[in-house]
Amino acid sequence: MSEQKYDNTNRGALFPSEKKTDKHPDLKGKLNVNGEDFYLSAWSQISQAGKKYLSISLDKPREAEATPAVAQSSEDLPF
């Protein structure tokens, strides 16, 4: 049986996360908007009127760390 690929453009998902402090999100996941991926975080909140809601944060993924510079040979050094 062949696997069917799905188009996840403009879709996302949130999953429960382990909270270590109140500042850590209750839910974390990924969201794709027009082909660009984002990280999504959400916190369960209660309004002053007593209604439950989610406070949401959207972040771009960090670019991969730059590769370290290649060491120069002693001939290239100015001293």
Side-chain angles (χ1 to χ4, degrees), residues 5-60:
K5 285 201 163 201
Y6 293 99
D7 180 11
N8 287 326
T9 304
N10 297 325
R11 295 178 185 259
L14 286 169
F15 301 95
S17 64
E18 292 184 27
K19 285 186 75 148
K20 295 181 180 167
T21 70
D22 286 337
K23 292 187 177 193
H24 288 119
D26 295 301
L27 304 165
K28 292 187 339 184
K30 288 187 180 180
L31 175 69
N32 181 288
V33 178
N34 295 328
E36 188 173 354
D37 289 326
F38 294 90
Y39 290 119
L40 190 60
S41 301
W43 292 261
S44 297
Q45 303 285 331
I46 299 176
S47 72
Q48 291 179 346
K51 302 278 185 177
K52 292 181 181 180
Y53 70 96
L54 291 175
S55 174
I56 299 173
S57 173
L58 185 68
D59 294 310
K60 281 190 169 188

